[in-house]
Amino acid sequence: MMVIFQKVSFLSSAPKLSLCPPDEGIEIAFAGRSNVGKSSLVNALTNRKTLARTSQTPGRTRQLIFFDLIYQSNKLRLVDLPGYGYAKAPKKDIQSWTSLTVKYLKGRPSLRTVCLLVDCRRGIGDFDKLIMNELEIDKMELHVVILAAGKGSRMKSKLPKVLHCVAGKPMLQHVIDCAQKLNPSKIHVVIGHGSELVKSTINDDSIFWVQQLEQLGTGHAVDQALPNIPASANVLVLYGDVPLIEESTLASLLSETSQSAMAILTVALEDPTGYGRIVRNAADEVTAIVEHKDATDDQLSINEVNTGILAAQAAHLKQWLPALSSDNAQGEYYLTDIVSMAVGQDIDVEAAHPAAVEEVQGVNDRLQLCELECYVQSQTAEQLMLNGVSLYDPHRIDVRGEIKTGSDIIIDINSVFVGKVEIEDDVVIGPNCYIKNAKI
C-alpha cells in the first residue's frame, strides 16, 4: 500500500489543490478530519479547485471524512458506495480518529493507494503518523544526491574544489554531515575531477559514489545517480561546494514535496548577478527558472534567485531528466529546466527559503571561501560567548573542529583550536595558543 500526503488549504486565496495522476483504474481512498463537507472536498479534488473554508458551528464535533475516488479517462471520479461517508469522533481524541480511519481503510483489502489530507498550515501531524503506524506504512524513502564533480578552476589549485576546508573540514564533508542528519536511505555523491582523491579523503563506506565522466551540466550529473534510486523515493539534490546548508532548512524543503509537488530552495539577493532567476506568474506561482545568461532584461530585474537545491520525486526526475535539452548559452543540461516541465504537467512547484543567505552561498574562488570561513568563525565565537566564555577579541579566535566548554572560561587573542578540544571550568587561555585534540 502506498501513502500520499495531499496538502489541503482552507484559505480561499490558496493555490489550487492538485494530485499527481496515478495509473489508470487505480482507486484512491481519502481520509481526513475537517469541518469541510465531503462534497466540497470531492469537488476540489476532481475539479482541481481551491477549497473554501466553511462556517464552523460552535461546539460542533469534527468529522472524519471517508470517500473513494477512481482515476479513469484522465479524471478523478467519485466512487459512490454504501457505507462511505462521515464518522463522528470525540473532539481532540486522536486515538479514536485513528481507530475509525484504520477500520475503514482495512476494510478495503484491494486498496493500493491511501491519500491523507494534510493541512498545509500544520503539516503532517500525530493523526497521520498514527495511521501510518497502524497500517504499517513507511514514509517515502529519501535519497540524497550531492553534486561534487566540478574541477573548480577558479580556485587555482590541484586540490578538487570540494576538498577545500571551511573551519577545518572539507566542504563536501560539511554537506555529507548535514545530509546524514536527515536519515536518508542512501547518499549518492557524483564525482569527476580528482575522484580518487575525493573518495580517499572522505573515506566513508556508507557513501554511494557515482562517476560523471563528462561534465555536461547539473541535469546530466543528477541523471547519473538516478539508475541507483528507486522510482518511489524522494530525491534531495545538494552541492558539495555549498557547505553551510542547515538541516532545518532541508527539512522545511522536504516537507513541501509530495507526489503532486516538487520544491526548490530560493533566496532574495540584493545583487543577483550570475544566479538563475525565479519566474512567477500573476498568482505568485513559480513557473520557471531562467539562467542569468539566458534571461531577458525584465527577468534580470528579479532578485529572487535559485540556489540549485531542490527536492522531487524520483519517478518525476526519471521522466524529466532524459528530456532536457542543451540548447542554451552554456550548452549544458540544466537541472533548473525541470521546473517548467513540472508546471507543464500540473505539478506544483513550492519554494522554501533558508534562514540566512550564507547557508546557500557557494564557493567558486578563494575569496568566497574566505568569506564563508569568516562567517563560520564569527558564528562560533558568538555561540561561545553565549555559552559563558569570555573572548578578549571574538575576531581573533579560530575553531577548526569541535570545541566543548565549561563555565567561567577566558580566552585571549589569536587562539587556534584544532580537532576535538574540551575546556573545563575556570580555565584561562593566554594569547597566541595553538591547541589540538586536547582536554584542558
PDB file of all heavy atoms in Angstrom, residues 308-344:
ATOM      1  N   GLY A 308      19.778  26.218  -6.453  1.00  0.00           N
ATOM      2  CA  GLY A 308      20.147  24.926  -7.035  1.00  0.00           C
ATOM      3  C   GLY A 308      19.658  23.750  -6.218  1.00  0.00           C
ATOM      4  O   GLY A 308      19.500  22.642  -6.729  1.00  0.00           O
ATOM      5  N   ILE A 309      19.409  23.964  -4.941  1.00  0.00           N
ATOM      6  CA  ILE A 309      18.964  22.889  -4.052  1.00  0.00           C
ATOM      7  C   ILE A 309      17.475  22.643  -4.282  1.00  0.00           C
ATOM      8  O   ILE A 309      16.678  23.584  -4.279  1.00  0.00           O
ATOM      9  CB  ILE A 309      19.247  23.258  -2.586  1.00  0.00           C
ATOM     10  CG1 ILE A 309      20.768  23.345  -2.354  1.00  0.00           C
ATOM     11  CG2 ILE A 309      18.619  22.257  -1.625  1.00  0.00           C
ATOM     12  CD1 ILE A 309      21.156  23.878  -0.995  1.00  0.00           C
ATOM     13  N   LEU A 310      17.120  21.390  -4.481  1.00  0.00           N
ATOM     14  CA  LEU A 310      15.713  21.063  -4.731  1.00  0.00           C
ATOM     15  C   LEU A 310      15.398  19.649  -4.280  1.00  0.00           C
ATOM     16  O   LEU A 310      16.290  18.848  -4.000  1.00  0.00           O
ATOM     17  CB  LEU A 310      15.374  21.237  -6.221  1.00  0.00           C
ATOM     18  CG  LEU A 310      16.114  20.393  -7.260  1.00  0.00           C
ATOM     19  CD1 LEU A 310      15.549  18.992  -7.385  1.00  0.00           C
ATOM     20  CD2 LEU A 310      16.071  21.076  -8.610  1.00  0.00           C
ATOM     21  N   ALA A 311      14.106  19.357  -4.209  1.00  0.00           N
ATOM     22  CA  ALA A 311      13.629  18.022  -3.854  1.00  0.00           C
ATOM     23  C   ALA A 311      12.475  17.666  -4.771  1.00  0.00           C
ATOM     24  O   ALA A 311      11.606  18.501  -5.053  1.00  0.00           O
ATOM     25  CB  ALA A 311      13.187  17.975  -2.390  1.00  0.00           C
ATOM     26  N   ALA A 312      12.466  16.419  -5.243  1.00  0.00           N
ATOM     27  CA  ALA A 312      11.415  15.976  -6.154  1.00  0.00           C
ATOM     28  C   ALA A 312      11.303  14.464  -6.095  1.00  0.00           C
ATOM     29  O   ALA A 312      12.200  13.773  -5.583  1.00  0.00           O
ATOM     30  CB  ALA A 312      11.707  16.426  -7.579  1.00  0.00           C
ATOM     31  N   GLN A 313      10.220  13.948  -6.604  1.00  0.00           N
ATOM     32  CA  GLN A 313      10.024  12.514  -6.687  1.00  0.00           C
ATOM     33  C   GLN A 313      10.965  11.921  -7.736  1.00  0.00           C
ATOM     34  O   GLN A 313      11.141  12.480  -8.826  1.00  0.00           O
ATOM     35  CB  GLN A 313       8.590  12.208  -7.104  1.00  0.00           C
ATOM     36  CG  GLN A 313       7.542  12.734  -6.136  1.00  0.00           C
ATOM     37  CD  GLN A 313       7.202  11.712  -5.077  1.00  0.00           C
ATOM     38  OE1 GLN A 313       6.598  10.713  -5.380  1.00  0.00           O
ATOM     39  NE2 GLN A 313       7.583  11.982  -3.861  1.00  0.00           N
ATOM     40  N   ALA A 314      11.571  10.783  -7.414  1.00  0.00           N
ATOM     41  CA  ALA A 314      12.472  10.125  -8.362  1.00  0.00           C
ATOM     42  C   ALA A 314      11.743   9.763  -9.654  1.00  0.00           C
ATOM     43  O   ALA A 314      12.312   9.866 -10.746  1.00  0.00           O
ATOM     44  CB  ALA A 314      13.081   8.884  -7.725  1.00  0.00           C
ATOM     45  N   ALA A 315      10.474   9.359  -9.519  1.00  0.00           N
ATOM     46  CA  ALA A 315       9.700   8.996 -10.706  1.00  0.00           C
ATOM     47  C   ALA A 315       9.593  10.161 -11.674  1.00  0.00           C
ATOM     48  O   ALA A 315       9.679   9.989 -12.894  1.00  0.00           O
ATOM     49  CB  ALA A 315       8.310   8.513 -10.296  1.00  0.00           C
ATOM     50  N   HIS A 316       9.412  11.366 -11.136  1.00  0.00           N
ATOM     51  CA  HIS A 316       9.344  12.545 -11.987  1.00  0.00           C
ATOM     52  C   HIS A 316      10.699  12.838 -12.620  1.00  0.00           C
ATOM     53  O   HIS A 316      10.787  13.156 -13.815  1.00  0.00           O
ATOM     54  CB  HIS A 316       8.889  13.756 -11.168  1.00  0.00           C
ATOM     55  CG  HIS A 316       7.468  13.688 -10.735  1.00  0.00           C
ATOM     56  ND1 HIS A 316       7.022  14.276  -9.570  1.00  0.00           N
ATOM     57  CD2 HIS A 316       6.383  13.079 -11.278  1.00  0.00           C
ATOM     58  CE1 HIS A 316       5.719  14.057  -9.439  1.00  0.00           C
ATOM     59  NE2 HIS A 316       5.320  13.331 -10.459  1.00  0.00           N
ATOM     60  N   LEU A 317      11.769  12.743 -11.834  1.00  0.00           N
ATOM     61  CA  LEU A 317      13.100  13.025 -12.358  1.00  0.00           C
ATOM     62  C   LEU A 317      13.485  12.046 -13.458  1.00  0.00           C
ATOM     63  O   LEU A 317      14.117  12.430 -14.451  1.00  0.00           O
ATOM     64  CB  LEU A 317      14.135  12.970 -11.218  1.00  0.00           C
ATOM     65  CG  LEU A 317      14.017  14.057 -10.149  1.00  0.00           C
ATOM     66  CD1 LEU A 317      15.027  13.823  -9.042  1.00  0.00           C
ATOM     67  CD2 LEU A 317      14.205  15.439 -10.763  1.00  0.00           C
ATOM     68  N   LYS A 318      13.102  10.796 -13.290  1.00  0.00           N
ATOM     69  CA  LYS A 318      13.403   9.789 -14.322  1.00  0.00           C
ATOM     70  C   LYS A 318      12.675  10.091 -15.627  1.00  0.00           C
ATOM     71  O   LYS A 318      13.099   9.673 -16.717  1.00  0.00           O
ATOM     72  CB  LYS A 318      13.027   8.393 -13.813  1.00  0.00           C
ATOM     73  CG  LYS A 318      13.955   7.854 -12.713  1.00  0.00           C
ATOM     74  CD  LYS A 318      13.426   6.538 -12.146  1.00  0.00           C
ATOM     75  CE  LYS A 318      14.304   6.039 -11.003  1.00  0.00           C
ATOM     76  NZ  LYS A 318      15.547   5.400 -11.482  1.00  0.00           N
ATOM     77  N   GLN A 319      11.592  10.831 -15.527  1.00  0.00           N
ATOM     78  CA  GLN A 319      10.838  11.233 -16.719  1.00  0.00           C
ATOM     79  C   GLN A 319      11.394  12.524 -17.314  1.00  0.00           C
ATOM     80  O   GLN A 319      11.519  12.657 -18.538  1.00  0.00           O
ATOM     81  CB  GLN A 319       9.367  11.418 -16.353  1.00  0.00           C
ATOM     82  CG  GLN A 319       8.499  11.936 -17.489  1.00  0.00           C
ATOM     83  CD  GLN A 319       7.101  12.308 -17.021  1.00  0.00           C
ATOM     84  OE1 GLN A 319       6.758  12.130 -15.848  1.00  0.00           O
ATOM     85  NE2 GLN A 319       6.301  12.839 -17.927  1.00  0.00           N
ATOM     86  N   TRP A 320      11.759  13.469 -16.446  1.00  0.00           N
ATOM     87  CA  TRP A 320      12.144  14.798 -16.914  1.00  0.00           C
ATOM     88  C   TRP A 320      13.585  14.890 -17.404  1.00  0.00           C
ATOM     89  O   TRP A 320      13.853  15.539 -18.419  1.00  0.00           O
ATOM     90  CB  TRP A 320      11.930  15.825 -15.793  1.00  0.00           C
ATOM     91  CG  TRP A 320      10.510  16.013 -15.383  1.00  0.00           C
ATOM     92  CD1 TRP A 320       9.393  15.827 -16.152  1.00  0.00           C
ATOM     93  CD2 TRP A 320      10.044  16.420 -14.088  1.00  0.00           C
ATOM     94  NE1 TRP A 320       8.256  16.099 -15.424  1.00  0.00           N
ATOM     95  CE2 TRP A 320       8.618  16.458 -14.149  1.00  0.00           C
ATOM     96  CE3 TRP A 320      10.658  16.760 -12.894  1.00  0.00           C
ATOM     97  CZ2 TRP A 320       7.836  16.833 -13.062  1.00  0.00           C
ATOM     98  CZ3 TRP A 320       9.887  17.120 -11.807  1.00  0.00           C
ATOM     99  CH2 TRP A 320       8.488  17.156 -11.887  1.00  0.00           C
ATOM    100  N   LEU A 321      14.521  14.292 -16.668  1.00  0.00           N
ATOM    101  CA  LEU A 321      15.940  14.498 -16.991  1.00  0.00           C
ATOM    102  C   LEU A 321      16.328  14.026 -18.390  1.00  0.00           C
ATOM    103  O   LEU A 321      17.088  14.715 -19.085  1.00  0.00           O
ATOM    104  CB  LEU A 321      16.821  13.860 -15.917  1.00  0.00           C
ATOM    105  CG  LEU A 321      16.714  14.490 -14.520  1.00  0.00           C
ATOM    106  CD1 LEU A 321      17.683  13.843 -13.553  1.00  0.00           C
ATOM    107  CD2 LEU A 321      16.982  15.994 -14.590  1.00  0.00           C
ATOM    108  N   PRO A 322      15.849  12.862 -18.848  1.00  0.00           N
ATOM    109  CA  PRO A 322      16.196  12.465 -20.215  1.00  0.00           C
ATOM    110  C   PRO A 322      15.638  13.409 -21.278  1.00  0.00           C
ATOM    111  O   PRO A 322      16.105  13.393 -22.425  1.00  0.00           O
ATOM    112  CB  PRO A 322      15.560  11.068 -20.344  1.00  0.00           C
ATOM    113  CG  PRO A 322      15.447  10.561 -18.946  1.00  0.00           C
ATOM    114  CD  PRO A 322      15.116  11.787 -18.142  1.00  0.00           C
ATOM    115  N   ALA A 323      14.666  14.225 -20.918  1.00  0.00           N
ATOM    116  CA  ALA A 323      14.043  15.148 -21.881  1.00  0.00           C
ATOM    117  C   ALA A 323      14.713  16.522 -21.899  1.00  0.00           C
ATOM    118  O   ALA A 323      14.309  17.398 -22.667  1.00  0.00           O
ATOM    119  CB  ALA A 323      12.559  15.309 -21.549  1.00  0.00           C
ATOM    120  N   LEU A 324      15.747  16.716 -21.084  1.00  0.00           N
ATOM    121  CA  LEU A 324      16.422  18.013 -21.047  1.00  0.00           C
ATOM    122  C   LEU A 324      17.151  18.289 -22.356  1.00  0.00           C
ATOM    123  O   LEU A 324      17.627  17.370 -23.037  1.00  0.00           O
ATOM    124  CB  LEU A 324      17.431  18.053 -19.887  1.00  0.00           C
ATOM    125  CG  LEU A 324      16.865  18.079 -18.472  1.00  0.00           C
ATOM    126  CD1 LEU A 324      17.988  18.030 -17.449  1.00  0.00           C
ATOM    127  CD2 LEU A 324      16.014  19.323 -18.248  1.00  0.00           C
ATOM    128  N   SER A 325      17.279  19.562 -22.670  1.00  0.00           N
ATOM    129  CA  SER A 325      17.993  19.988 -23.876  1.00  0.00           C
ATOM    130  C   SER A 325      19.203  20.829 -23.482  1.00  0.00           C
ATOM    131  O   SER A 325      19.184  21.542 -22.475  1.00  0.00           O
ATOM    132  CB  SER A 325      17.063  20.808 -24.774  1.00  0.00           C
ATOM    133  OG  SER A 325      17.790  21.440 -25.801  1.00  0.00           O
ATOM    134  N   SER A 326      20.255  20.770 -24.305  1.00  0.00           N
ATOM    135  CA  SER A 326      21.447  21.591 -24.063  1.00  0.00           C
ATOM    136  C   SER A 326      21.457  22.820 -24.964  1.00  0.00           C
ATOM    137  O   SER A 326      22.500  23.475 -25.123  1.00  0.00           O
ATOM    138  CB  SER A 326      22.713  20.762 -24.298  1.00  0.00           C
ATOM    139  OG  SER A 326      22.751  20.280 -25.631  1.00  0.00           O
ATOM    140  N   ASP A 327      20.312  23.145 -25.535  1.00  0.00           N
ATOM    141  CA  ASP A 327      20.200  24.296 -26.427  1.00  0.00           C
ATOM    142  C   ASP A 327      20.057  25.575 -25.597  1.00  0.00           C
ATOM    143  O   ASP A 327      18.967  26.123 -25.436  1.00  0.00           O
ATOM    144  CB  ASP A 327      18.999  24.116 -27.364  1.00  0.00           C
ATOM    145  CG  ASP A 327      18.896  25.245 -28.394  1.00  0.00           C
ATOM    146  OD1 ASP A 327      19.907  25.959 -28.580  1.00  0.00           O
ATOM    147  OD2 ASP A 327      17.813  25.418 -28.997  1.00  0.00           O
ATOM    148  N   ASN A 328      21.172  26.037 -25.052  1.00  0.00           N
ATOM    149  CA  ASN A 328      21.194  27.242 -24.227  1.00  0.00           C
ATOM    150  C   ASN A 328      22.575  27.873 -24.330  1.00  0.00           C
ATOM    151  O   ASN A 328      23.465  27.351 -25.007  1.00  0.00           O
ATOM    152  CB  ASN A 328      20.831  26.915 -22.767  1.00  0.00           C
ATOM    153  CG  ASN A 328      21.648  25.758 -22.215  1.00  0.00           C
ATOM    154  OD1 ASN A 328      22.872  25.820 -22.155  1.00  0.00           O
ATOM    155  ND2 ASN A 328      20.968  24.683 -21.824  1.00  0.00           N
ATOM    156  N   ALA A 329      22.759  28.993 -23.639  1.00  0.00           N
ATOM    157  CA  ALA A 329      24.006  29.750 -23.758  1.00  0.00           C
ATOM    158  C   ALA A 329      25.223  28.971 -23.286  1.00  0.00           C
ATOM    159  O   ALA A 329      26.332  29.174 -23.781  1.00  0.00           O
ATOM    160  CB  ALA A 329      23.879  31.067 -22.968  1.00  0.00           C
ATOM    161  N   GLN A 330      25.030  28.073 -22.341  1.00  0.00           N
ATOM    162  CA  GLN A 330      26.138  27.297 -21.783  1.00  0.00           C
ATOM    163  C   GLN A 330      26.358  25.978 -22.521  1.00  0.00           C
ATOM    164  O   GLN A 330      27.386  25.330 -22.320  1.00  0.00           O
ATOM    165  CB  GLN A 330      25.875  26.994 -20.297  1.00  0.00           C
ATOM    166  CG  GLN A 330      25.909  28.200 -19.387  1.00  0.00           C
ATOM    167  CD  GLN A 330      27.322  28.675 -19.122  1.00  0.00           C
ATOM    168  OE1 GLN A 330      27.866  29.464 -19.882  1.00  0.00           O
ATOM    169  NE2 GLN A 330      27.910  28.197 -18.046  1.00  0.00           N
ATOM    170  N   GLY A 331      25.362  25.563 -23.307  1.00  0.00           N
ATOM    171  CA  GLY A 331      25.474  24.274 -23.972  1.00  0.00           C
ATOM    172  C   GLY A 331      25.445  23.117 -22.995  1.00  0.00           C
ATOM    173  O   GLY A 331      26.058  22.074 -23.226  1.00  0.00           O
ATOM    174  N   GLU A 332      24.698  23.294 -21.884  1.00  0.00           N
ATOM    175  CA  GLU A 332      24.645  22.279 -20.829  1.00  0.00           C
ATOM    176  C   GLU A 332      23.204  21.845 -20.582  1.00  0.00           C
ATOM    177  O   GLU A 332      22.250  22.514 -20.994  1.00  0.00           O
ATOM    178  CB  GLU A 332      25.249  22.822 -19.533  1.00  0.00           C
ATOM    179  CG  GLU A 332      26.729  23.129 -19.615  1.00  0.00           C
ATOM    180  CD  GLU A 332      27.281  23.597 -18.276  1.00  0.00           C
ATOM    181  OE1 GLU A 332      26.466  23.901 -17.367  1.00  0.00           O
ATOM    182  OE2 GLU A 332      28.519  23.682 -18.132  1.00  0.00           O
ATOM    183  N   TYR A 333      23.074  20.729 -19.866  1.00  0.00           N
ATOM    184  CA  TYR A 333      21.756  20.236 -19.470  1.00  0.00           C
ATOM    185  C   TYR A 333      21.455  20.791 -18.082  1.00  0.00           C
ATOM    186  O   TYR A 333      21.994  20.324 -17.080  1.00  0.00           O
ATOM    187  CB  TYR A 333      21.743  18.702 -19.471  1.00  0.00           C
ATOM    188  CG  TYR A 333      21.970  18.114 -20.852  1.00  0.00           C
ATOM    189  CD1 TYR A 333      23.241  17.730 -21.253  1.00  0.00           C
ATOM    190  CD2 TYR A 333      20.913  17.969 -21.743  1.00  0.00           C
ATOM    191  CE1 TYR A 333      23.467  17.199 -22.516  1.00  0.00           C
ATOM    192  CE2 TYR A 333      21.118  17.445 -23.014  1.00  0.00           C
ATOM    193  CZ  TYR A 333      22.392  17.064 -23.391  1.00  0.00           C
ATOM    194  OH  TYR A 333      22.615  16.547 -24.653  1.00  0.00           O
ATOM    195  N   TYR A 334      20.606  21.817 -18.036  1.00  0.00           N
ATOM    196  CA  TYR A 334      20.296  22.496 -16.779  1.00  0.00           C
ATOM    197  C   TYR A 334      19.275  21.691 -15.974  1.00  0.00           C
ATOM    198  O   TYR A 334      18.198  21.361 -16.479  1.00  0.00           O
ATOM    199  CB  TYR A 334      19.682  23.870 -17.036  1.00  0.00           C
ATOM    200  CG  TYR A 334      20.566  24.897 -17.708  1.00  0.00           C
ATOM    201  CD1 TYR A 334      20.001  25.896 -18.490  1.00  0.00           C
ATOM    202  CD2 TYR A 334      21.947  24.896 -17.528  1.00  0.00           C
ATOM    203  CE1 TYR A 334      20.777  26.871 -19.094  1.00  0.00           C
ATOM    204  CE2 TYR A 334      22.737  25.861 -18.123  1.00  0.00           C
ATOM    205  CZ  TYR A 334      22.150  26.851 -18.921  1.00  0.00           C
ATOM    206  OH  TYR A 334      22.923  27.806 -19.503  1.00  0.00           O
ATOM    207  N   LEU A 335      19.597  21.438 -14.726  1.00  0.00           N
ATOM    208  CA  LEU A 335      18.619  20.814 -13.834  1.00  0.00           C
ATOM    209  C   LEU A 335      17.412  21.722 -13.637  1.00  0.00           C
ATOM    210  O   LEU A 335      16.277  21.262 -13.462  1.00  0.00           O
ATOM    211  CB  LEU A 335      19.275  20.507 -12.486  1.00  0.00           C
ATOM    212  CG  LEU A 335      18.402  19.831 -11.421  1.00  0.00           C
ATOM    213  CD1 LEU A 335      17.927  18.459 -11.888  1.00  0.00           C
ATOM    214  CD2 LEU A 335      19.171  19.707 -10.103  1.00  0.00           C
ATOM    215  N   THR A 336      17.644  23.025 -13.691  1.00  0.00           N
ATOM    216  CA  THR A 336      16.580  24.003 -13.450  1.00  0.00           C
ATOM    217  C   THR A 336      15.451  23.923 -14.475  1.00  0.00           C
ATOM    218  O   THR A 336      14.335  24.363 -14.208  1.00  0.00           O
ATOM    219  CB  THR A 336      17.169  25.421 -13.456  1.00  0.00           C
ATOM    220  OG1 THR A 336      17.962  25.593 -14.634  1.00  0.00           O
ATOM    221  CG2 THR A 336      18.039  25.646 -12.245  1.00  0.00           C
ATOM    222  N   ASP A 337      15.722  23.355 -15.649  1.00  0.00           N
ATOM    223  CA  ASP A 337      14.689  23.278 -16.679  1.00  0.00           C
ATOM    224  C   ASP A 337      13.545  22.341 -16.304  1.00  0.00           C
ATOM    225  O   ASP A 337      12.477  22.382 -16.931  1.00  0.00           O
ATOM    226  CB  ASP A 337      15.301  22.818 -18.006  1.00  0.00           C
ATOM    227  CG  ASP A 337      16.106  23.919 -18.688  1.00  0.00           C
ATOM    228  OD1 ASP A 337      15.991  25.089 -18.257  1.00  0.00           O
ATOM    229  OD2 ASP A 337      16.869  23.617 -19.622  1.00  0.00           O
ATOM    230  N   ILE A 338      13.751  21.503 -15.290  1.00  0.00           N
ATOM    231  CA  ILE A 338      12.666  20.597 -14.891  1.00  0.00           C
ATOM    232  C   ILE A 338      11.506  21.355 -14.259  1.00  0.00           C
ATOM    233  O   ILE A 338      10.386  20.843 -14.187  1.00  0.00           O
ATOM    234  CB  ILE A 338      13.147  19.486 -13.930  1.00  0.00           C
ATOM    235  CG1 ILE A 338      13.535  20.057 -12.557  1.00  0.00           C
ATOM    236  CG2 ILE A 338      14.290  18.692 -14.538  1.00  0.00           C
ATOM    237  CD1 ILE A 338      13.833  18.990 -11.513  1.00  0.00           C
ATOM    238  N   VAL A 339      11.753  22.589 -13.807  1.00  0.00           N
ATOM    239  CA  VAL A 339      10.680  23.376 -13.191  1.00  0.00           C
ATOM    240  C   VAL A 339       9.583  23.657 -14.211  1.00  0.00           C
ATOM    241  O   VAL A 339       8.393  23.472 -13.936  1.00  0.00           O
ATOM    242  CB  VAL A 339      11.229  24.686 -12.596  1.00  0.00           C
ATOM    243  CG1 VAL A 339      10.088  25.619 -12.207  1.00  0.00           C
ATOM    244  CG2 VAL A 339      12.093  24.389 -11.385  1.00  0.00           C
ATOM    245  N   SER A 340       9.951  24.093 -15.401  1.00  0.00           N
ATOM    246  CA  SER A 340       8.939  24.362 -16.427  1.00  0.00           C
ATOM    247  C   SER A 340       8.262  23.073 -16.874  1.00  0.00           C
ATOM    248  O   SER A 340       7.080  23.078 -17.224  1.00  0.00           O
ATOM    249  CB  SER A 340       9.568  25.073 -17.622  1.00  0.00           C
ATOM    250  OG  SER A 340      10.624  24.306 -18.173  1.00  0.00           O
ATOM    251  N   MET A 341       8.995  21.946 -16.847  1.00  0.00           N
ATOM    252  CA  MET A 341       8.382  20.663 -17.163  1.00  0.00           C
ATOM    253  C   MET A 341       7.325  20.295 -16.125  1.00  0.00           C
ATOM    254  O   MET A 341       6.247  19.805 -16.460  1.00  0.00           O
ATOM    255  CB  MET A 341       9.449  19.557 -17.226  1.00  0.00           C
ATOM    256  CG  MET A 341      10.431  19.698 -18.364  1.00  0.00           C
ATOM    257  SD  MET A 341      11.638  18.341 -18.341  1.00  0.00           S
ATOM    258  CE  MET A 341      12.642  18.783 -19.767  1.00  0.00           C
ATOM    259  N   ALA A 342       7.647  20.527 -14.859  1.00  0.00           N
ATOM    260  CA  ALA A 342       6.694  20.245 -13.778  1.00  0.00           C
ATOM    261  C   ALA A 342       5.435  21.080 -13.950  1.00  0.00           C
ATOM    262  O   ALA A 342       4.310  20.569 -13.845  1.00  0.00           O
ATOM    263  CB  ALA A 342       7.339  20.521 -12.419  1.00  0.00           C
ATOM    264  N   VAL A 343       5.621  22.365 -14.213  1.00  0.00           N
ATOM    265  CA  VAL A 343       4.473  23.255 -14.396  1.00  0.00           C
ATOM    266  C   VAL A 343       3.619  22.782 -15.571  1.00  0.00           C
ATOM    267  O   VAL A 343       2.383  22.785 -15.509  1.00  0.00           O
ATOM    268  CB  VAL A 343       4.950  24.703 -14.616  1.00  0.00           C
ATOM    269  CG1 VAL A 343       3.782  25.608 -14.998  1.00  0.00           C
ATOM    270  CG2 VAL A 343       5.632  25.239 -13.361  1.00  0.00           C
ATOM    271  N   GLY A 344       4.262  22.346 -16.648  1.00  0.00           N
ATOM    272  CA  GLY A 344       3.530  21.871 -17.811  1.00  0.00           C
ATOM    273  C   GLY A 344       2.717  20.624 -17.546  1.00  0.00           C
ATOM    274  O   GLY A 344       1.744  20.340 -18.259  1.00  0.00           O
TER     275      GLY A 344
END
